[in-house]
Amino acid sequence: MFNQLAIGAATSAGNTLVVLISFLILLLLLKKFAWKPVTEMMERRSETIANDLDNAKNAKEEASRLATEQQNKLADMQKESAIIIQQAQTNAAKIEKDLIEETKMSIAQMKKQAKLDIDFERKSALDEAKNEISLLSLQIAEKLIGKEIDNQTHAQLVDEFIERLADSNETE
Amino acid sequence: MEHETLIVDLMGLKFDVTTTLVTVASCIIVFSVVFICTRNLQLKPTGKQNFIEWIIDFVNNIVSTSIPGKRGDRFKLLGFTLFLFVFVSNMLGLPLVLVINDIQWWKSPTADPIVTLSLAMMVILMSHFFGVQEQGFKNYFLNSYIRPVPFLLPIKLFEEFTNTLTLALRLYGNIFAGEILIGLIASLSNSFGAVTWIVGVPLQIAWQAFSVFIGSIQAFVFTTLSMVYISHKIGHEETVEHKEYVETN
Protein backbone atom coordinates (compact mmCIF):
# COMPACT_ATOMS: atom_id res chain seq x y z
CA MET A 1 0.00 0.00 0.00
CA PHE A 2 2.68 2.48 1.01
CA ASN A 3 4.72 1.28 -1.86
CA GLN A 4 1.93 2.13 -4.26
CA LEU A 5 1.36 5.49 -2.69
CA ALA A 6 5.04 6.28 -3.07
CA ILE A 7 4.91 5.38 -6.75
CA GLY A 8 1.66 7.28 -7.08
CA ALA A 9 3.24 10.37 -5.65
CA ALA A 10 5.91 10.34 -8.28
CA THR A 11 3.43 10.05 -11.13
CA SER A 12 0.44 11.89 -9.68
CA ALA A 13 0.83 15.10 -11.71
CA GLY A 14 1.20 13.22 -14.99
CA ASN A 15 -1.67 10.86 -14.23
CA THR A 16 -3.94 13.70 -13.22
CA LEU A 17 -3.19 15.42 -16.51
CA VAL A 18 -3.87 12.23 -18.43
CA VAL A 19 -7.19 11.68 -16.69
CA LEU A 20 -8.36 15.28 -17.07
CA ILE A 21 -7.32 15.60 -20.70
CA SER A 22 -8.74 12.27 -21.75
CA PHE A 23 -11.95 13.00 -19.86
CA LEU A 24 -12.31 16.38 -21.55
CA ILE A 25 -11.59 14.89 -24.97
CA LEU A 26 -14.18 12.21 -24.29
CA LEU A 27 -16.66 14.86 -23.21
CA LEU A 28 -16.12 16.91 -26.37
CA LEU A 29 -16.25 13.90 -28.67
CA LEU A 30 -19.44 12.66 -27.05
CA LYS A 31 -20.93 16.12 -27.35
CA LYS A 32 -20.12 16.37 -31.03
CA PHE A 33 -20.96 12.87 -32.16
CA ALA A 34 -23.60 11.62 -29.78
CA TRP A 35 -25.09 14.09 -27.36
CA LYS A 36 -26.27 16.76 -29.77
CA PRO A 37 -27.94 14.45 -32.30
CA VAL A 38 -29.56 12.34 -29.60
CA THR A 39 -30.92 15.23 -27.57
CA GLU A 40 -32.10 16.92 -30.74
CA MET A 41 -33.83 13.73 -31.74
CA MET A 42 -35.42 13.38 -28.30
CA GLU A 43 -36.62 16.97 -28.39
CA ARG A 44 -37.99 16.50 -31.87
CA ARG A 45 -39.77 13.39 -30.68
CA SER A 46 -41.39 15.10 -27.73
CA GLU A 47 -42.45 17.94 -30.02
CA THR A 48 -43.88 15.48 -32.51
CA ILE A 49 -45.78 13.67 -29.79
CA ALA A 50 -47.16 16.92 -28.42
CA ASN A 51 -48.18 17.99 -31.92
CA ASP A 52 -49.77 14.64 -32.62
CA LEU A 53 -51.74 14.84 -29.40
CA ASP A 54 -52.91 18.34 -30.29
CA ASN A 55 -53.81 17.24 -33.79
CA ALA A 56 -55.71 14.26 -32.47
CA LYS A 57 -57.62 16.50 -30.09
CA ASN A 58 -58.43 18.93 -32.92
CA ALA A 59 -59.47 16.11 -35.21
CA LYS A 60 -61.75 14.71 -32.53
CA GLU A 61 -63.36 18.08 -31.98
CA GLU A 62 -63.75 18.55 -35.72
CA ALA A 63 -65.30 15.12 -36.04
CA SER A 64 -67.83 15.70 -33.28
CA ARG A 65 -68.60 19.12 -34.73
CA LEU A 66 -69.19 17.56 -38.16
CA ALA A 67 -71.35 14.86 -36.62
CA THR A 68 -73.62 17.39 -34.89
CA GLU A 69 -73.71 19.43 -38.09
CA GLN A 70 -74.76 16.39 -40.08
CA GLN A 71 -77.40 15.52 -37.52
CA ASN A 72 -78.78 19.03 -37.64
CA LYS A 73 -78.78 18.91 -41.42
CA LEU A 74 -80.57 15.60 -41.37
CA ALA A 75 -83.21 16.93 -39.00
CA ASP A 76 -83.67 20.00 -41.22
CA MET A 77 -84.00 17.83 -44.28
CA GLN A 78 -86.56 15.63 -42.60
CA LYS A 79 -88.57 18.69 -41.70
CA GLU A 80 -88.24 20.03 -45.22
CA SER A 81 -89.26 16.77 -46.79
CA ALA A 82 -92.30 16.59 -44.55
CA ILE A 83 -93.24 20.06 -45.68
CA ILE A 84 -92.68 19.13 -49.33
CA ILE A 85 -94.82 16.01 -49.00
CA GLN A 86 -97.59 17.98 -47.38
CA GLN A 87 -97.43 20.60 -50.10
CA ALA A 88 -97.50 17.93 -52.76
CA GLN A 89 -100.52 16.38 -51.16
CA THR A 90 -102.39 19.67 -51.04
CA ASN A 91 -101.36 20.43 -54.62
CA ALA A 92 -102.49 17.03 -55.78
CA ALA A 93 -105.84 17.49 -54.07
CA LYS A 94 -106.23 20.89 -55.67
CA ILE A 95 -105.26 19.63 -59.10
CA GLU A 96 -107.69 16.77 -58.79
CA LYS A 97 -110.49 19.12 -57.86
CA ASP A 98 -109.64 21.48 -60.74
CA LEU A 99 -109.48 18.64 -63.19
CA ILE A 100 -112.84 17.33 -62.15
CA GLU A 101 -114.33 20.79 -62.47
CA GLU A 102 -112.75 21.36 -65.86
CA THR A 103 -113.92 18.03 -67.09
CA LYS A 104 -117.43 18.79 -65.89
CA MET A 105 -117.35 22.12 -67.69
CA SER A 106 -116.05 20.67 -70.92
CA ILE A 107 -118.66 17.92 -70.78
CA ALA A 108 -121.36 20.58 -70.38
CA GLN A 109 -119.94 22.51 -73.32
CA MET A 110 -119.76 19.42 -75.45
CA LYS A 111 -123.37 18.64 -74.58
CA LYS A 112 -124.38 22.13 -75.60
CA GLN A 113 -122.44 21.88 -78.85
CA ALA A 114 -123.94 18.53 -79.59
CA LYS A 115 -127.42 19.94 -79.06
CA LEU A 116 -126.67 22.77 -81.47
CA ASP A 117 -125.25 20.34 -84.04
CA ILE A 118 -128.29 18.14 -83.77
CA ASP A 119 -130.60 21.10 -84.25
CA PHE A 120 -128.65 22.27 -87.27
CA GLU A 121 -128.60 18.83 -88.82
CA ARG A 122 -132.31 18.41 -88.29
CA LYS A 123 -133.01 21.76 -89.83
CA SER A 124 -130.85 21.16 -92.88
CA ALA A 125 -132.35 17.71 -93.31
CA LEU A 126 -135.79 19.26 -93.22
CA ASP A 127 -134.75 21.86 -95.80
CA GLU A 128 -133.38 19.23 -98.09
CA ALA A 129 -136.48 17.19 -97.77
CA LYS A 130 -138.54 20.28 -98.60
CA ASN A 131 -136.51 20.91 -101.75
CA GLU A 132 -136.78 17.36 -102.81
CA ILE A 133 -140.51 17.43 -102.29
CA SER A 134 -140.86 20.61 -104.28
CA LEU A 135 -138.74 19.14 -107.12
CA LEU A 136 -140.85 16.01 -107.17
CA SER A 137 -143.99 17.98 -107.12
CA LEU A 138 -142.73 20.02 -110.05
CA GLN A 139 -141.89 16.94 -112.03
CA ILE A 140 -145.26 15.51 -111.22
CA ALA A 141 -146.86 18.73 -112.34
CA GLU A 142 -144.92 18.66 -115.60
CA LYS A 143 -145.97 15.14 -116.26
CA LEU A 144 -149.52 16.09 -115.50
CA ILE A 145 -149.29 19.00 -117.87
CA GLY A 146 -148.02 16.54 -120.47
CA LYS A 147 -146.09 18.97 -122.31
CA GLU A 148 -143.66 17.60 -124.75
CA ILE A 149 -140.33 18.88 -123.85
CA ASP A 150 -137.41 18.90 -126.15
CA ASN A 151 -133.94 19.27 -125.11
CA GLN A 152 -133.79 22.99 -125.45
CA THR A 153 -136.98 23.67 -123.58
CA HIS A 154 -135.90 21.12 -121.08
CA ALA A 155 -132.81 23.06 -120.39
CA GLN A 156 -134.85 26.21 -120.18
CA LEU A 157 -137.18 24.60 -117.75
CA VAL A 158 -134.33 23.39 -115.61
CA ASP A 159 -132.87 26.85 -115.52
CA GLU A 160 -136.19 28.27 -114.59
CA PHE A 161 -136.56 25.71 -111.92
CA ILE A 162 -133.11 26.39 -110.51
CA GLU A 163 -133.85 30.10 -110.58
CA ARG A 164 -137.06 29.57 -108.77
CA LEU A 165 -135.39 27.29 -106.34
CA ALA A 166 -132.76 29.92 -105.71
CA ASP A 167 -135.44 32.50 -105.29
CA SER A 168 -137.33 30.30 -102.95
CA ASN A 169 -134.14 29.72 -101.01
CA GLU A 170 -133.47 33.43 -100.90
CA THR A 171 -136.95 34.27 -99.77
CA GLU A 172 -136.78 31.70 -97.04
CA MET B 1 -1.55 -7.05 -4.32
CA GLU B 2 0.85 -4.23 -4.89
CA HIS B 3 2.69 -4.37 -8.14
CA GLU B 4 5.20 -2.22 -9.86
CA THR B 5 4.01 -0.23 -12.83
CA LEU B 6 5.93 0.96 -15.81
CA ILE B 7 6.73 4.64 -15.53
CA VAL B 8 7.57 6.83 -18.49
CA ASP B 9 9.34 10.13 -18.03
CA LEU B 10 8.15 12.65 -20.59
CA MET B 11 9.48 16.21 -20.46
CA GLY B 12 9.96 16.07 -16.69
CA LEU B 13 6.47 14.69 -16.04
CA LYS B 14 6.24 11.08 -14.96
CA PHE B 15 3.40 9.05 -16.43
CA ASP B 16 2.13 5.75 -15.14
CA VAL B 17 1.72 3.63 -18.28
CA THR B 18 -0.95 1.33 -16.82
CA THR B 19 -3.20 4.14 -15.65
CA THR B 20 -2.77 5.98 -18.93
CA LEU B 21 -3.54 2.84 -20.88
CA VAL B 22 -6.67 1.90 -18.97
CA THR B 23 -7.94 5.47 -18.82
CA VAL B 24 -7.60 5.87 -22.56
CA ALA B 25 -9.10 2.40 -23.08
CA SER B 26 -12.07 3.34 -20.92
CA CYS B 27 -12.56 6.53 -22.94
CA ILE B 28 -12.35 4.59 -26.19
CA ILE B 29 -14.87 2.00 -24.99
CA VAL B 30 -17.33 4.64 -23.83
CA PHE B 31 -16.99 6.57 -27.05
CA SER B 32 -17.32 3.48 -29.25
CA VAL B 33 -20.43 2.23 -27.48
CA VAL B 34 -22.10 5.61 -27.57
CA PHE B 35 -20.97 6.26 -31.14
CA ILE B 36 -22.30 2.93 -32.38
CA CYS B 37 -25.55 3.38 -30.50
CA THR B 38 -26.19 6.82 -31.96
CA ARG B 39 -25.73 5.95 -35.61
CA ASN B 40 -28.78 6.10 -37.82
CA LEU B 41 -30.98 7.92 -35.31
CA GLN B 42 -34.72 7.51 -35.80
CA LEU B 43 -37.71 9.42 -34.54
CA LYS B 44 -39.14 6.08 -33.57
CA PRO B 45 -36.23 4.45 -31.75
CA THR B 46 -35.32 0.81 -31.92
CA GLY B 47 -32.71 -1.48 -30.34
CA LYS B 48 -29.46 0.30 -29.63
CA GLN B 49 -31.02 3.75 -29.80
CA ASN B 50 -33.49 2.72 -27.11
CA PHE B 51 -30.57 1.57 -25.00
CA ILE B 52 -28.63 4.83 -25.26
CA GLU B 53 -31.76 6.90 -24.72
CA TRP B 54 -32.55 4.85 -21.66
CA ILE B 55 -29.12 5.71 -20.23
CA ILE B 56 -29.53 9.37 -21.17
CA ASP B 57 -32.93 9.49 -19.49
CA PHE B 58 -31.49 7.79 -16.43
CA VAL B 59 -28.67 10.34 -16.11
CA ASN B 60 -31.00 13.24 -16.94
CA ASN B 61 -33.16 12.16 -14.03
CA ILE B 62 -30.14 12.15 -11.72
CA VAL B 63 -29.23 15.64 -12.86
CA SER B 64 -32.69 17.14 -12.68
CA THR B 65 -33.29 15.75 -9.19
CA SER B 66 -30.38 17.88 -7.96
CA ILE B 67 -30.66 20.80 -10.38
CA PRO B 68 -34.26 21.10 -11.50
CA GLY B 69 -35.57 23.00 -14.48
CA LYS B 70 -33.70 24.65 -17.31
CA ARG B 71 -30.57 25.27 -15.24
CA GLY B 72 -29.85 21.57 -15.12
CA ASP B 73 -29.72 21.23 -18.90
CA ARG B 74 -26.10 22.38 -19.26
CA PHE B 75 -24.92 19.78 -16.74
CA LYS B 76 -26.60 16.82 -18.36
CA LEU B 77 -23.77 16.10 -20.77
CA LEU B 78 -21.27 16.30 -17.91
CA GLY B 79 -23.36 13.89 -15.86
CA PHE B 80 -23.73 11.54 -18.82
CA THR B 81 -19.98 11.45 -19.50
CA LEU B 82 -19.11 11.10 -15.82
CA PHE B 83 -21.55 8.26 -15.34
CA LEU B 84 -20.44 6.29 -18.38
CA PHE B 85 -16.73 6.89 -17.78
CA VAL B 86 -16.88 5.86 -14.12
CA PHE B 87 -19.10 2.90 -14.87
CA VAL B 88 -16.90 1.53 -17.66
CA SER B 89 -13.79 2.22 -15.59
CA ASN B 90 -15.27 0.24 -12.72
CA MET B 91 -16.01 -2.66 -15.03
CA LEU B 92 -12.61 -2.76 -16.74
CA GLY B 93 -10.82 -4.51 -13.88
CA LEU B 94 -13.46 -7.19 -13.42
CA PRO B 95 -12.78 -9.60 -16.26
CA LEU B 96 -9.03 -9.05 -16.36
CA VAL B 97 -6.26 -8.02 -14.02
CA LEU B 98 -3.08 -8.45 -15.94
CA VAL B 99 0.23 -8.74 -14.14
CA ILE B 100 3.31 -9.75 -16.08
CA ASN B 101 6.67 -10.07 -14.30
CA ASP B 102 5.28 -8.24 -11.31
CA ILE B 103 4.36 -5.29 -13.52
CA GLN B 104 0.64 -4.51 -13.67
CA TRP B 105 -0.68 -3.85 -17.17
CA TRP B 106 -4.41 -3.91 -16.79
CA LYS B 107 -6.80 -2.90 -14.00
CA SER B 108 -9.69 -0.52 -13.35
CA PRO B 109 -8.55 3.07 -13.70
CA THR B 110 -10.80 3.88 -10.76
CA ALA B 111 -8.77 1.49 -8.60
CA ASP B 112 -6.09 4.19 -8.72
CA PRO B 113 -6.61 6.99 -6.15
CA ILE B 114 -5.02 9.54 -8.45
CA VAL B 115 -7.64 8.95 -11.12
CA THR B 116 -10.57 9.30 -8.73
CA LEU B 117 -8.97 12.32 -7.05
CA SER B 118 -8.53 13.94 -10.46
CA LEU B 119 -12.16 13.41 -11.30
CA ALA B 120 -13.30 14.66 -7.90
CA MET B 121 -11.06 17.69 -8.11
CA MET B 122 -12.40 18.46 -11.56
CA VAL B 123 -15.98 18.25 -10.32
CA ILE B 124 -15.34 20.42 -7.25
CA LEU B 125 -13.44 23.04 -9.28
CA MET B 126 -16.26 23.06 -11.80
CA SER B 127 -18.79 23.56 -9.02
CA HIS B 128 -16.89 26.66 -7.85
CA PHE B 129 -16.56 27.91 -11.42
CA PHE B 130 -20.25 27.50 -12.16
CA GLY B 131 -21.11 28.97 -8.75
CA VAL B 132 -19.28 32.17 -9.62
CA GLN B 133 -20.67 32.17 -13.15
CA GLU B 134 -24.27 31.73 -12.06
CA GLN B 135 -24.51 34.17 -9.17
CA GLY B 136 -21.45 36.42 -9.39
CA PHE B 137 -18.45 36.29 -7.11
CA LYS B 138 -20.00 38.22 -4.22
CA ASN B 139 -23.16 36.16 -3.98
CA TYR B 140 -21.21 32.98 -4.57
CA PHE B 141 -18.93 33.79 -1.66
CA LEU B 142 -21.75 34.90 0.65
CA ASN B 143 -23.99 31.95 -0.15
CA SER B 144 -21.22 29.40 0.00
CA TYR B 145 -19.37 30.46 3.12
CA ILE B 146 -21.12 33.20 5.14
CA ARG B 147 -24.80 32.33 5.06
CA PRO B 148 -26.73 31.35 7.05
CA VAL B 149 -24.27 32.07 9.90
CA PRO B 150 -20.75 33.46 9.57
CA PHE B 151 -19.10 31.39 12.29
CA LEU B 152 -19.47 28.25 10.17
CA LEU B 153 -16.88 29.68 7.74
CA PRO B 154 -13.99 27.43 8.85
CA ILE B 155 -16.15 24.35 8.67
CA LYS B 156 -17.42 25.34 5.24
CA LEU B 157 -13.89 25.87 3.98
CA PHE B 158 -12.83 22.56 5.42
CA GLU B 159 -15.86 20.93 3.83
CA GLU B 160 -14.62 21.77 0.33
CA PHE B 161 -11.58 19.57 0.87
CA THR B 162 -13.45 16.78 2.60
CA ASN B 163 -15.97 16.80 -0.23
CA THR B 164 -13.22 16.24 -2.74
CA LEU B 165 -11.61 13.56 -0.65
CA THR B 166 -14.76 11.64 0.18
CA LEU B 167 -16.03 11.82 -3.39
CA ALA B 168 -12.75 10.40 -4.67
CA LEU B 169 -11.89 7.92 -1.95
CA ARG B 170 -15.36 6.38 -1.76
CA LEU B 171 -15.07 5.36 -5.38
CA TYR B 172 -11.44 4.38 -5.13
CA GLY B 173 -11.97 2.31 -1.96
CA ASN B 174 -14.87 0.34 -3.37
CA ILE B 175 -13.19 -0.52 -6.65
CA PHE B 176 -9.73 -1.08 -5.21
CA ALA B 177 -11.11 -3.40 -2.52
CA GLY B 178 -13.05 -5.27 -5.17
CA GLU B 179 -9.93 -5.80 -7.25
CA ILE B 180 -7.90 -6.92 -4.24
CA LEU B 181 -10.50 -9.52 -3.43
CA ILE B 182 -10.61 -10.64 -7.08
CA GLY B 183 -6.82 -11.09 -6.92
CA LEU B 184 -7.03 -12.96 -3.61
CA ILE B 185 -9.71 -15.31 -4.87
CA ALA B 186 -7.68 -15.90 -8.04
CA SER B 187 -4.58 -16.82 -6.05
CA LEU B 188 -6.71 -19.02 -3.80
CA SER B 189 -8.04 -20.83 -6.89
CA ASN B 190 -4.53 -21.39 -8.12
CA SER B 191 -3.04 -22.39 -4.76
CA PHE B 192 -3.35 -26.15 -5.40
CA GLY B 193 -3.65 -26.20 -9.17
CA ALA B 194 -6.92 -27.18 -10.85
CA VAL B 195 -8.37 -28.81 -7.71
CA THR B 196 -9.05 -25.54 -5.93
CA TRP B 197 -10.74 -24.15 -9.03
CA ILE B 198 -13.84 -26.05 -7.88
CA VAL B 199 -14.04 -23.68 -4.93
CA GLY B 200 -12.40 -20.70 -6.55
CA VAL B 201 -14.38 -20.34 -9.76
CA PRO B 202 -17.88 -20.12 -8.19
CA LEU B 203 -16.50 -17.78 -5.55
CA GLN B 204 -14.93 -15.62 -8.23
CA ILE B 205 -18.17 -15.58 -10.25
CA ALA B 206 -20.14 -14.53 -7.18
CA TRP B 207 -17.67 -11.80 -6.29
CA GLN B 208 -17.49 -10.50 -9.86
CA ALA B 209 -21.26 -10.31 -9.99
CA PHE B 210 -21.25 -8.40 -6.74
CA SER B 211 -18.54 -6.13 -8.12
CA VAL B 212 -20.69 -5.33 -11.14
CA PHE B 213 -23.38 -4.29 -8.70
CA ILE B 214 -20.92 -2.22 -6.65
CA GLY B 215 -19.44 -0.65 -9.76
CA SER B 216 -22.89 0.42 -11.00
CA ILE B 217 -23.88 1.78 -7.59
CA GLN B 218 -20.62 3.71 -7.31
CA ALA B 219 -21.01 5.21 -10.78
CA PHE B 220 -24.52 6.29 -9.80
CA VAL B 221 -23.35 7.68 -6.46
CA PHE B 222 -20.44 9.54 -8.01
CA THR B 223 -22.67 11.19 -10.61
CA THR B 224 -25.36 12.02 -8.09
CA LEU B 225 -22.94 13.56 -5.59
CA SER B 226 -21.18 15.55 -8.30
CA MET B 227 -24.52 17.06 -9.27
CA VAL B 228 -25.40 17.71 -5.64
CA TYR B 229 -22.13 19.57 -5.07
CA ILE B 230 -22.63 21.61 -8.22
CA SER B 231 -26.21 22.40 -7.23
CA HIS B 232 -25.05 23.54 -3.78
CA LYS B 233 -22.72 26.03 -5.40
CA ILE B 234 -25.09 27.40 -8.01
CA GLY B 235 -28.39 26.78 -6.35
CA HIS B 236 -29.17 29.47 -3.81
CA GLU B 237 -31.64 31.33 -5.94
CA GLU B 238 -33.06 27.93 -6.63
CA THR B 239 -35.82 28.36 -4.05
CA VAL B 240 -37.70 30.76 -6.33
CA GLU B 241 -37.02 28.82 -9.48
CA HIS B 242 -37.80 25.58 -7.78
CA LYS B 243 -41.19 26.88 -6.77
CA GLU B 244 -41.85 27.95 -10.34
CA TYR B 245 -40.70 24.58 -11.56
CA VAL B 246 -43.05 22.81 -9.17
CA GLU B 247 -45.91 25.08 -10.11
CA THR B 248 -45.46 24.75 -13.83
CA ASN B 249 -45.29 20.99 -13.61
Side-chain angles (χ1 to χ4, degrees):
Chain A
M1 186 75 199
F2 294 116
N3 187 20
Q4 199 197 26
L5 278 184
I7 294 167
T11 57
S12 57
N15 281 355
T16 305
L17 268 182
V18 166
V19 170
L20 290 183
I21 289 170
S22 47
F23 186 84
L24 285 180
I25 291 173
L26 176 66
L27 190 87
L28 293 176
L29 283 178
L30 283 186
K31 185 179 184 181
K32 187 170 190 313
F33 287 104
W35 186 259
K36 275 190 176 167
V38 170
T39 42
E40 266 167 30
M41 187 56 80
M42 286 165 94
E43 259 165 41
R44 248 180 70 196
R45 180 181 312 134
S46 55
E47 266 170 32
T48 315
I49 289 173
N51 283 345
D52 284 356
L53 285 178
D54 285 353
N55 285 347
K57 200 180 158 197
N58 287 345
K60 206 176 161 189
E61 275 168 13
E62 178 78 11
S64 67
R65 193 181 63 74
L66 280 177
T68 29
E69 201 173 279
Q70 295 296 327
Q71 256 168 356
N72 288 345
K73 246 186 207 170
L74 199 70
D76 284 354
M77 278 163 127
Q78 270 169 347
K79 254 185 226 166
E80 219 168 288
S81 63
I83 289 171
I84 289 173
I85 287 173
Q86 213 182 355
Q87 259 174 356
Q89 274 171 345
T90 35
N91 276 356
K94 202 181 157 204
I95 289 170
E96 201 184 3
K97 208 174 149 194
D98 286 359
L99 264 179
I100 288 171
E101 216 138 290
E102 208 173 300
T103 321
K104 269 183 187 165
M105 266 168 75
S106 67
I107 286 172
Q109 192 135 18
M110 276 159 80
K111 266 184 181 171
K112 212 173 160 189
Q113 187 70 40
K115 234 179 201 169
L116 284 178
D117 281 356
I118 288 167
D119 280 355
F120 180 74
E121 290 286 326
R122 197 171 57 189
K123 213 176 175 183
S124 59
L126 274 177
D127 283 354
E128 215 170 295
K130 239 186 208 168
N131 287 340
E132 199 87 357
I133 287 166
S134 62
L135 188 63
L136 280 175
S137 56
L138 255 177
Q139 279 172 346
I140 292 167
E142 268 172 21
K143 265 184 188 166
L144 285 179
I145 294 166
K147 198 178 180 179
E148 201 143 308
I149 298 170
D150 58 353
N151 270 350
Q152 203 183 352
T153 42
H154 183 243
Q156 207 180 334
L157 274 173
V158 169
D159 282 347
E160 265 173 39
F161 179 71
I162 288 169
E163 233 167 270
R164 255 188 299 170
L165 199 64
D167 285 348
S168 71
N169 265 356
E170 270 170 19
T171 51
E172 258 176 328
Chain B
M1 294 307 106
E2 281 88 48
H3 303 284
E4 299 285 331
T5 54
L6 207 63
I7 291 171
V8 176
D9 200 327
L10 202 69
M11 294 186 293
L13 269 179
K14 290 190 167 66
F15 293 96
D16 183 336
V17 173
T18 316
T19 308
T20 309
L21 184 73
V22 286
T23 305
V24 172
S26 167
C27 289
I28 290 172
I29 291 171
V30 170
F31 181 72
S32 311
V33 169
V34 175
F35 186 76
I36 290 167
C37 286
T38 51
R39 287 316 90 191
N40 192 20
L41 289 172
Q42 301 289 326
L43 201 60
K44 204 174 156 190
T46 49
K48 51 193 171 73
Q49 196 187 340
N50 269 330
F51 171 68
I52 203 72
E53 286 189 5
W54 173 63
I55 295 178
I56 288 177
D57 271 339
F58 178 71
V59 178
N60 284 354
N61 275 337
I62 297 176
V63 176
S64 41
T65 329
S66 305
I67 314 168
K70 282 254 173 251
R71 300 167 79 204
D73 284 351
R74 57 195 299 214
F75 301 111
K76 280 174 179 169
L77 174 63
L78 175 68
F80 180 67
T81 318
L82 264 181
F83 179 77
L84 280 183
F85 179 75
V86 174
F87 178 76
V88 170
S89 298
N90 293 349
M91 295 303 127
L92 276 189
L94 292 185
L96 184 70
V97 177
L98 193 63
V99 180
I100 301 171
N101 295 332
D102 227 26
I103 291 180
Q104 189 161 29
W105 289 99
W106 192 264
K107 60 170 188 169
S108 287
T110 40
D112 187 334
I114 300 299
V115 174
T116 58
L117 276 167
S118 308
L119 287 175
M121 184 186 78
M122 181 188 75
V123 168
I124 299 295
L125 287 180
M126 274 176 148
S127 76
H128 289 284
F129 173 77
F130 287 125
V132 174
Q133 195 189 39
E134 290 268 324
Q135 34 185 0
F137 186 78
K138 192 184 162 206
N139 278 328
Y140 151 78
F141 185 77
L142 288 176
N143 285 328
S144 299
Y145 305 110
I146 306 298
R147 285 170 191 157
V149 274
F151 69 83
L152 284 178
L153 174 66
I155 295 178
K156 293 222 171 179
L157 282 174
F158 190 65
E159 197 184 27
E160 298 305 320
F161 297 99
T162 54
N163 276 351
T164 318
L165 276 177
T166 52
L167 187 61
L169 296 182
R170 177 186 304 109
L171 178 60
Y172 160 68
N174 273 286
I175 306 308
F176 185 61
E179 288 207 349
I180 284 184
L181 205 54
I182 281 177
L184 281 175
I185 294 171
S187 54
L188 168 74
S189 317
N190 283 323
S191 52
F192 293 102
V195 182
T196 42
W197 287 12
I198 299 166
V199 187
V201 169
L203 210 59
Q204 191 72 292
I205 291 173
W207 181 249
Q208 279 178 332
F210 191 58
S211 290
V212 170
F213 174 66
I214 287 177
S216 319
I217 291 288
Q218 287 309 317
F220 173 74
V221 167
F222 194 91
T223 315
T224 309
L225 284 178
S226 301
M227 290 307 144
V228 168
Y229 292 151
I230 290 175
S231 81
H232 279 172
K233 284 285 172 286
I234 65 165
H236 277 278
E237 52 205 327
E238 188 187 330
T239 42
V240 181
E241 273 198 18
H242 187 67
K243 252 188 213 161
E244 280 170 10
Y245 176 77
V246 170
E247 276 163 13
T248 50
N249 284 272

